Amino acid sequence: MLFKQQALLRQKLFVLGSLAIGSLLYLVARVGSLDRLQPLCPIDGRFGAHSQDEIPLRALQFKRGLLHEFRKGNATKEQIRLHNLVQQLPKAIIIGVRKGGTRALLEMLNLHPAVVKASQEIHFFDNDENYAKGIEWYRKKMPFSYPHQITIEKSPAYFITEEVPERIYKMNSSIKLLIIVREPTTRAISDYTQVLEGKERKNKTYYKFEKLAIDPNTCEVNTKYKAVRTSIYTKHLERWLKYFPIEQFHIVDGDRLITEPLPELQLVEKFLNLPPRISQYNLYFNATRGFYCLRFNIVFNKCLAGSKGRIHPEVDTSVITKLHKFFHPFNQKFYQITGRTFNWP
């Protein structure tokens, strides 16, 4: 009798377990189908029908599903037409600076359901050969998007290339321009570290940072060294200001983006006139990697490439002090022009 009761109990538990698993699989499939079928709300609607939790789960998942397929070329012209998808010229460009955090900024802005990013650096405006191919070639390099979304690309070489401001102005004189900066000496060392790593991968030798950054003949800062020149932000910005008013620029604190990304991203949302949608839900600190990673929804997370956050070589303190002193007057002018002050030496 006891044996029969135990057998009956096991049978009931099996049935209940099967029903629970079946229900779970149905819900997963249901969510997936809704994400595939439900389009993003237009910006004009301010995403009012969605809660904070629904934005990452539904709108973002939809965008990364359907639009990813189109980016891979797995869509017919009819499908593109039916979904009202277009390849738009950027309404905002991250123009620099190199080793300031341009990739991190682009990936983080892509958390916003109204933003679509160009996956690769296009190098249209700073490359004469590409620029000669014309604006339609550039447009075709952009990802598919909905008309209400904004496309953003980034090419940090734009900031320091002399011809770029005029070329971008001719495309769109009202475009919004994003510049992400770090403390100039740290940025220069980071620039050097990336080049050094590339040399080491090819088993090549390379000069020490001190020898490149300091002119051996004068013992002063070597302004011919590209890593130093790039960090003189005000010199490059003044060239851009010949074509664009300062109101069309937004300066992002690259150092703060590493340690406290959300406030910086919220400032960019405001600058781009986007409804606030990036939240702490979308950002989590990865202690192993030492920086923040991205959470798009309950199943999809993303950390930046392992090459980010390279360990810098030790640099002679006297050289660092000399660089701080050299950059100081340029930094003060940069603060004055942009209206944003940083705690740089």
Side-chain angles (χ1 to χ4, degrees):
M1 183 68 177
L2 180 61
F3 177 78
K4 287 184 178 180
Q5 289 177 339
Q6 290 175 338
L8 183 61
L9 180 60
R10 284 196 297 270
Q11 185 177 9
K12 288 181 178 179
L13 289 173
F14 176 79
V15 171
L16 289 172
S18 300
L19 287 173
I21 293 172
S23 299
L24 181 60
L25 291 173
Y26 170 79
L27 286 172
V28 170
R30 180 63 175 162
V31 169
S33 64
L34 286 172
D35 288 334
R36 287 191 297 273
L37 295 173
Q38 182 171 332
L40 288 167
C41 295
I43 278 184
D44 292 340
R46 308 292 290 180
F47 303 93
H50 298 283
S51 71
Q52 288 291 335
D53 288 337
E54 287 175 324
I55 288 297
L57 178 61
R58 303 183 77 137
L60 288 170
Q61 191 176 25
F62 174 80
K63 184 175 74 171
R64 276 155 188 80
L66 182 61
L67 296 186
H68 180 65
E69 291 301 310
F70 291 147
R71 280 197 292 271
K72 293 191 300 183
N74 299 339
T76 64
K77 289 182 179 180
E78 180 63 16
Q79 287 175 314
I80 293 170
R81 185 187 66 80
L82 287 174
H83 286 282
N84 197 30
L85 293 170
V86 290
Q87 288 175 291
Q88 303 184 79
L89 291 173
K91 293 186 176 70
I93 299 179
I94 301 172
I95 60 174
V97 300
R98 173 180 163 90
K99 305 311 301 172
T102 57
R103 173 55 60 182
L105 177 59
L106 183 67
E107 296 292 344
M108 289 178 177
L109 288 178
N110 195 47
L111 288 164
H112 199 293
V115 171
V116 179
K117 70 177 177 69
S119 298
Q120 303 296 323
E121 293 180 9
I122 310 301
H123 289 287
F124 177 63
F125 297 102
D126 65 311
N127 183 296
D128 292 341
E129 184 178 341
N130 287 342
Y131 190 68
K133 295 175 183 176
I135 202 71
E136 285 306 307
W137 177 88
Y138 180 55
R139 187 196 301 273
K140 285 181 170 54
K141 293 292 181 181
M142 295 298 120
F144 285 102
S145 62
Y146 294 97
H148 70 270
Q149 292 176 310
I150 69 169
T151 297
I152 298 180
E153 76 126 324
K154 74 102 175 175
S155 291
Y158 287 169
F159 186 59
I160 64 171
T161 305
E162 189 171 342
E163 299 83 5
V164 171
E166 182 179 6
R167 289 175 175 179
I168 292 182
Y169 180 84
K170 287 179 178 178
M171 178 190 74
N172 182 359
S173 61
S174 61
I175 197 166
K176 292 182 180 289
L177 302 165
L178 294 162
I179 304 172
I180 180 167
V181 294
R182 297 187 68 193
E183 190 279 312
T185 300
T186 302
R187 194 223 64 83
I189 296 172
S190 180
D191 198 328
Y192 166 83
T193 304
Q194 178 170 293
V195 176
L196 175 65
E197 186 180 275
K199 298 286 186 181
E200 290 176 341
R201 281 200 304 266
K202 298 176 183 178
N203 294 318
K204 294 182 178 180
T205 58
Y206 195 48
Y207 295 110
K208 291 187 68 175
F209 176 79
E210 292 88 339
K211 190 169 184 178
L212 294 168
I214 304 298
D215 188 323
N217 298 318
T218 64
C219 292
E220 298 299 328
V221 173
N222 180 16
T223 55
K224 294 181 180 179
Y225 179 37
K226 187 176 180 180
V228 168
R229 289 203 317 272
T230 299
S231 285
I232 307 175
Y233 304 139
T234 185
K235 290 290 186 181
H236 305 292
L237 181 58
E238 285 172 344
R239 184 171 59 251
W240 283 85
L241 290 172
K242 294 176 182 178
Y243 295 91
F244 300 96
I246 193 63
E247 292 77 20
Q248 284 177 229
F249 296 87
H250 178 73
I251 309 301
V252 179
D253 186 341
D255 294 308
R256 192 184 184 204
L257 192 73
I258 296 171
T259 60
E260 197 180 1
L262 185 57
E264 284 299 314
L265 295 172
Q266 289 172 335
L267 289 173
V268 178
E269 283 180 323
K270 185 176 180 180
F271 173 70
L272 297 177
N273 296 321
L274 293 172
R277 280 298 173 268
I278 301 174
S279 70
Q280 201 60 58
Y281 169 90
N282 302 116
L283 301 160
Y284 68 95
F285 186 76
N286 185 313
T288 303
R289 302 293 294 277
F291 49 80
Y292 280 85
C293 295
L294 315 180
R295 180 185 290 115
F296 292 91
N297 54 50
I298 58 175
V299 295
F300 180 49
N301 300 336
K302 179 178 182 179
C303 285
L304 298 178
S307 61
K308 304 301 177 184
R310 297 179 180 90
I311 298 174
H312 294 177
E314 289 189 16
V315 177
D316 189 289
T317 54
S318 65
V319 172
I320 291 177
T321 300
K322 190 180 287 287
L323 286 167
H324 285 166
K325 185 177 179 181
F326 170 79
F327 286 125
H328 182 75
F330 296 112
N331 295 341
Q332 295 301 310
K333 192 170 185 180
F334 186 70
Y335 303 159
Q336 184 181 9
I337 293 173
T338 62
R340 184 156 194 187
T341 302
F342 301 95
N343 295 320
W344 296 339

